[in-house]
Structures are given as C-alpha cells and as structure tokens.
Amino acid sequence: MREYIIIVAVFAGLLLGVPPIYGRVFGEGGDSSAADSHLSADYDFPQQISMLLTESGEVVQIGIEDYLIGCLFAQIPATYHQQALNAQAVAAHSYLLRMLEDGVVISDDAASCQPFFTAQIARQRYGDDYDNYLEIFRAAARHGANRALFFEGAPIYAVYHGISAGVTNTAFSVWGQDFPYLQSVESSWDREHPNFIVHNEMTSESIRLAIFDYNRTASMPIDYSQWFVDIFKNEYGYVLSVKAGETTLSGGDMWRIFNLRSTAFETSFRSGGVFVFETRGFGHGVGLSQYGADVLGRRGFSSDDILKHYYTNIEIVMV
C-alpha cells in the first residue's frame, strides 16, 4: 500500500516563456469540459494550468482533469472505494486552487506542491495495473474537476493524510496556524488499519545529526534519558511540543525532522543507543483521512458526506 503525506508550503520562483501544450497526458477519455453544472459567477475556475516538471525543467500546460489523475496516482491507493477516490480528487482540486490563490508555482515537486506522477512515472510504478487504475482514477478525476471546497468564498487548504490517530489533528498543532475548517473530527475507524501502530528505531547518532541539521547550535545532554522530555500532547494524542536537549520542537517539527510516520507518537530509549518511536496513524493527521474515507465509502457514505465530515463547515462548490 502506497501512502503519501503533504505539507503546506510556498515555493517562490519565476517561470519565463510560453508553456507548451501538454495535451491529454493520460490518453483519451471523457470531455472534462462537458460539465452539466453551472460555472460559478463568483470564481474564475481554470480549465488548465501551467506546471513545472522538475526533472526536465520544462513548463507545460495541463488540463485540470489530467492534473488530478496524476495527483491520484501519486496520492492514494487505487484499491480504495470509489467514493474515497472521488473525495481525494475534490481535495486535490481544492488544494490546487488554494496554491494558485497564493501564487505558488505549480510543479510535480511534493515538497513545494502536492504529489503528482506524470503518465510515464505512473506507468513505471504500477506496471501491469496501470491501465486498470487509469480508468478508476479518470472517473474520480472527472468528479473532482467538477467540484471544489470553499470556506468564506475562497478555496481551502484541503490537506490530507494516510491514517489518523483515531481522531484527526488540527492545523494549529502541526503548522502553528489555525483554520476553522481544519479542526479535529472523529475517525475512530482508522484504528482498524493493520499498520495503525508502528514502531520505528533510530540510533542516538542519527538523532543527533538530524537535530543538528535542523538547528546548528543545538546540543544534547550526555544522559540519553533526557533527550526527549516535557512532551505535551493535545487531548487527541497528537504531540504539540517536545524539549529535545535545549531545543523545543513542535510535534510537526519532530514528524518532519525524524521522518516519523505520524505526529501522534511516544518515544523511549533502549540500551545500545537506540530510541524507539511508537506512532499511531500515518501522516500529519490534518484534514481528510484517506483510510477513513475508504472505510466510510464502504459503509455507504458519498464523497460529499466524507468531505463535509473531515472539513468543518465547508461549502462544496460545483464548477
């Protein structure tokens, strides 16, 4: 099972020249422009976007439906329920619109935008399953291209993650910025995932180097038992802050610095200079839980139901 996480970030840069036409990169399919819903008079929804392909440095134009297909290939297992895939496509579309609003240069770099696979990469990754998955993802992308999530008249940061810790996290706990639509909601069914709890080991030396890379002035005590102290969590089990030596780190900092599976974790020290991180869930825990969406889809919930559950007080706008 391939699962991905996403970080809200801004990529500053300037692209010059006229983008070449990218065409239908995932082959022939339905006409994504033939939506039977009205185009909102209050928002200018793009029909295609300029996109930087980081490996070649080429800037191309790509239609929204094809963009969403590439996102889905990179973001969520094709074996998930169709309603979960539809919800993910709407979230990816909404996040794209939010990035465009913020002036972010759209690219296939997951560190600055959201994960995206070109048709070539997707075919390499999925092999013989590619053609079957393409049809599944095309249906979801068509759905997502016709909908977007808004709050107070603007597209939302529709962030998502693989598996929650049983409830979703808040944006404030991870990034230090609050959004009314990214609040904690119930997702207890995520505990059904077979890899809900995972133990990861790290040596003291690798931890020291990771912390030093984050903060060149950081120093760690001689006593290993004092390396991670004063751990504060929110009521849902997500770590808010940790004191690592003399450096105070947020749960999100720990997740990023040590490449943890989740921001809901416990840490302990074993003999031999080994630390153990016990994580619950997968990803930062904010917004849509992909596994949770899969469970809800199999229980008969629609993609709209799923989205309104995981994003608080949002409006689903038809394009």
Side-chain angles (χ1 to χ4, degrees):
M1 181 179 296
R2 187 177 288 107
E3 292 160 316
Y4 296 86
I5 56 179
I6 186 166
I7 303 173
V8 175
V10 174
F11 177 77
L14 179 63
L15 299 176
L16 302 177
V18 179
I21 299 297
Y22 207 33
R24 291 197 61 84
V25 296
F26 289 95
E28 293 304 318
D31 183 0
S32 61
S33 67
D36 56 8
S37 56
H38 68 279
L39 184 67
S40 172
D42 301 322
Y43 193 85
D44 185 18
F45 291 94
Q47 300 301 300
Q48 61 182 12
I49 58 170
S50 297
M51 182 177 183
L52 170 66
L53 301 179
T54 52
E55 185 173 343
S56 66
E58 184 181 17
V59 180
V60 299
Q61 286 191 338
I62 182 172
I64 298 301
E65 185 179 320
D66 274 329
Y67 174 76
L68 294 180
I69 292 174
C71 287
L72 291 167
F73 266 116
Q75 294 168 359
I76 190 169
T79 53
Y80 276 12
H81 192 275
Q82 189 65 51
Q83 293 303 316
L85 302 181
N86 290 352
Q88 178 66 35
V90 176
H93 186 198
S94 306
Y95 194 78
L96 167 67
L97 296 176
R98 183 68 257 173
M99 289 190 294
L100 292 172
E101 285 275 307
D102 291 346
V104 175
V105 174
I106 305 304
S107 75
D108 57 355
D109 181 6
S112 59
C113 291
Q114 57 183 329
F116 173 92
F117 285 168
T118 63
Q120 179 181 6
I121 293 175
R123 189 177 290 278
Q124 291 172 349
R125 295 293 182 93
Y126 289 95
D128 293 341
D129 291 324
Y130 172 81
D131 289 330
N132 289 335
Y133 289 173
L134 174 58
E135 294 309 308
I136 293 170
F137 284 146
R138 178 178 285 125
R142 188 175 298 117
H143 177 92
N146 289 323
R147 290 165 176 77
L149 308 179
F150 277 63
F151 180 82
E152 294 186 346
I156 72 170
Y157 291 105
V159 294
Y160 43 89
H161 59 280
I163 315 163
S164 81
V167 292
T168 64
N169 204 354
T170 67
F172 185 81
S173 295
V174 178
W175 298 292
Q177 186 173 0
D178 192 32
F179 294 95
Y181 50 83
L182 294 176
Q183 303 300 312
S184 243
V185 301
E186 175 72 9
S187 197
S188 58
W189 39 89
D190 283 2
R191 297 189 179 99
E192 301 170 8
H193 194 281
N195 293 322
F196 176 70
I197 297 178
V198 172
H199 295 87
N200 296 323
E201 295 185 355
M202 292 187 68
T203 65
S204 57
E205 183 61 20
S206 61
I207 288 176
R208 188 194 305 274
L209 290 174
I211 291 179
F212 180 73
D213 188 56
Y214 173 78
N215 179 0
R216 295 290 176 175
T217 64
S219 62
M220 302 300 286
I222 296 176
D223 183 358
Y224 288 137
S225 67
Q226 297 302 305
W227 274 30
F228 297 110
V229 296
D230 298 338
I231 300 177
F232 293 97
K233 301 180 181 180
N234 64 19
E235 60 188 300
Y236 312 112
Y238 292 99
V239 173
L240 298 177
S241 65
V242 178
K243 190 174 182 182
E246 298 301 317
T247 304
T248 298
L249 302 173
S250 70
D253 291 334
M254 291 284 290
W255 169 63
R256 289 183 286 269
I257 292 170
F258 302 116
N259 196 28
L260 301 180
R261 278 179 57 86
S262 171
T263 56
F265 61 86
E266 303 278 354
T267 181
S268 60
F269 174 71
R270 292 180 181 172
S271 60
V274 175
F275 285 83
V276 177
F277 292 94
E278 179 182 280
T279 56
R280 287 170 169 75
F282 188 89
H284 48 58
V286 184
L288 175 74
S289 164
Q290 295 173 327
Y291 181 75
D294 178 52
V295 173
L296 291 179
R298 296 180 192 280
R299 293 181 181 179
F301 290 85
S302 71
S303 61
D304 285 0
D305 295 331
I306 293 168
L307 291 165
K308 288 182 178 180
H309 174 75
Y310 283 108
Y311 301 108
T312 307
N313 296 324
I314 51 89
E315 178 186 3
I316 300 176
V317 175
M318 301 296 292
V319 176

